[in-house]
Amino acid sequence: MSEPILLPTAEIAGPWHLQPPDITEIRLAAEAAAGQLVRTPLLESERVNRQLGGRLLLKAEGLQKTGSFKARGALNFLGAMSPEDRRRGVVAFSSGNHAQAVAWAAARYGAPALVIMPQAAPATKVARTLSWGAKVRQIDWRAEDPASLCRALAAEYGMTMLPPFEDRRVLAGAATLGLEIVEQAARLGAPALDAVFVNCSGGGLLAGCAIAIHALSPATEIWGVEPEGFDDLGRSLAAGRRLVNEPGPTSICDALVARSTGDLTFAIARQHVRGAVQVSDAEVLAAIRFAFEEFRVVVEPGGAAALAAVLLGRVEVKGRAIAITASGSNIDAEVYRRALAAADD
């Protein structure tokens, strides 16, 4: 297996918060989260392994606080804030999982939270964000830029913007998931992971996991997985520069529909990520059902993309050890019924 190609670190220079965290910072984030977050299981099925001819390890991150990996980054960010800044509160924008994570982490620290969400956000995610005490403002993301609004509100109310991925504190928190994958795989007798597949939108989970995994296992291939129509990472890696998705396409993977990765997350991806593959909505629905039938876990569409890629044979599993991130479980009941019924249609 060839070594990953690493670009000079000078390519990701910039302000402190826009530089990548190192393994020491990631370990500190893991220590700070102990007792506050769930060390989610890395699941394995003998039946699935026989079917694939290799080892498939599924990181069931849907069992995390708020139902997704986003709790890791939000908690680490809030924990790093000064008491005065926490008193003034945080503002964020999100289609759902980051929203819930920000609301939960802010409530844990007694900080006010305001979250900008799209009008089309799943009802489950809006309701749960509100249940943690956050204020929610829903807007038409096609007509108004949520990031710009977020920055304006932060300036107006003296709040701190808690970004979904473009911040080293958020990445260090997300990276603890990658740290756990390597450690748990070793305990399962798979110390040499051949590849890890990570669901990708803005790239925070992918970038964080890539840093952590390559610090411990440099030869492991890191791959991103995107929905069809939102393949900016794959195209960007091929072009050698960050590209954006054109408006218009839709996907059932509401957690994976960012217009592009960030400058920071793409720079990290160029260093550590081998490539990206795409999956369709139908393939994701089939993966959701597969996760229920074979692993007995609930996975939302955006959390099932990596599993779909493996089941479709986009990666060679035979004779190899592959880990995937099932990164969230916040799925509307109707979508879940549709997924479970898909194979019977």
Side-chain angles (χ1 to χ4, degrees):
M1 184 183 305
S2 58
E3 294 290 330
I5 298 172
L6 304 183
L7 300 178
T9 55
E11 295 209 4
I12 40 180
W16 174 85
H17 69 285
L18 290 180
Q19 296 178 33
D22 60 21
I23 190 61
T24 299
E25 190 173 344
I26 293 165
R27 290 193 184 280
L28 288 173
E31 291 175 11
Q36 300 191 77
L37 293 174
V38 178
R39 188 177 175 87
T40 53
L42 191 65
L43 304 177
E44 187 172 19
S45 164
E46 291 184 19
R47 211 167 91 108
V48 172
N49 287 350
R50 286 198 302 271
Q51 176 182 332
L52 297 176
R55 298 188 69 176
L56 178 63
L57 307 176
L58 182 147
K59 182 64 167 168
E61 188 64 7
L63 299 175
Q64 186 55 262
K65 301 286 187 179
T66 75
S68 88
F69 78 94
K70 288 289 190 178
R72 296 175 183 264
L75 184 71
N76 196 53
F77 188 100
L78 263 294
M81 292 175 67
S82 69
E84 178 60 24
D85 284 341
R86 282 200 294 262
R87 185 188 66 78
R88 286 194 287 263
V90 293
V91 59
F93 64 96
S94 168
S95 64
N97 284 341
H98 182 57
Q100 293 175 81
V102 169
W104 169 78
R108 198 166 186 85
Y109 279 101
L114 170 61
V115 184
I116 310 303
M117 301 183 73
Q119 292 173 342
T124 298
K125 295 183 178 181
V126 175
R128 290 184 176 176
T129 301
L130 290 167
S131 75
W132 287 112
K135 294 182 179 179
V136 172
R137 181 184 297 187
Q138 289 184 263
I139 64 170
D140 183 353
W141 283 24
R142 295 167 300 180
E144 191 170 6
D145 177 40
S148 297
L149 176 59
C150 210
R151 285 189 289 268
L153 291 171
E156 180 179 354
Y157 296 113
M159 305 174 85
T160 299
M161 181 171 169
L162 204 170
F165 45 84
E166 279 290 90
D167 184 278
R168 69 183 297 159
R169 293 156 291 189
V170 174
L171 295 191
T176 61
L177 187 149
L179 199 67
E180 291 177 13
I181 286 177
V182 176
E183 294 171 349
Q184 291 171 315
R187 293 192 185 98
L188 289 172
L193 286 171
D194 292 288
V196 178
F197 280 69
V198 183
N199 306 311
C200 181
S201 181
L205 180 62
L206 177 65
C209 284
I211 293 171
I213 292 168
H214 274 170
L216 304 178
S217 181
T220 299
E221 295 179 6
I222 311 295
W223 290 82
V225 185
E226 306 172 286
E228 288 182 351
F230 297 88
D231 60 343
D232 61 285
L233 176 63
R235 291 184 293 107
S236 296
L237 290 173
R241 59 189 177 88
R242 191 167 68 94
L243 303 175
V244 301
N245 296 310
E246 294 299 324
T250 60
S251 172
I252 195 172
C253 301
D254 62 279
L256 303 182
V257 294
R259 285 206 67 194
S260 71
T261 57
D263 288 327
L264 172 60
T265 54
F266 177 61
I268 295 170
R270 287 191 68 193
Q271 286 189 315
H272 293 279
V273 176
R274 181 60 56 86
V277 297
Q278 291 75 50
V279 292
S280 70
D281 283 358
E283 291 160 350
V284 164
L285 288 171
I288 292 171
R289 176 166 176 157
F290 187 92
F292 167 73
E293 292 178 338
E294 300 297 339
F295 292 95
R296 289 296 185 252
V297 294
V298 175
V299 186
E300 66 181 90
L307 176 59
V310 171
L311 296 179
L312 289 166
R314 304 282 167 79
V315 55
E316 179 59 57
V317 180
K318 189 172 183 180
R320 307 175 79 204
I322 307 295
I324 60 171
T325 60
S327 49
S329 61
N330 295 309
I331 184 170
D332 279 347
E334 181 53 41
V335 176
Y336 199 56
R337 282 193 290 267
R338 180 180 162 193
L340 296 181
D344 298 328
D345 291 344

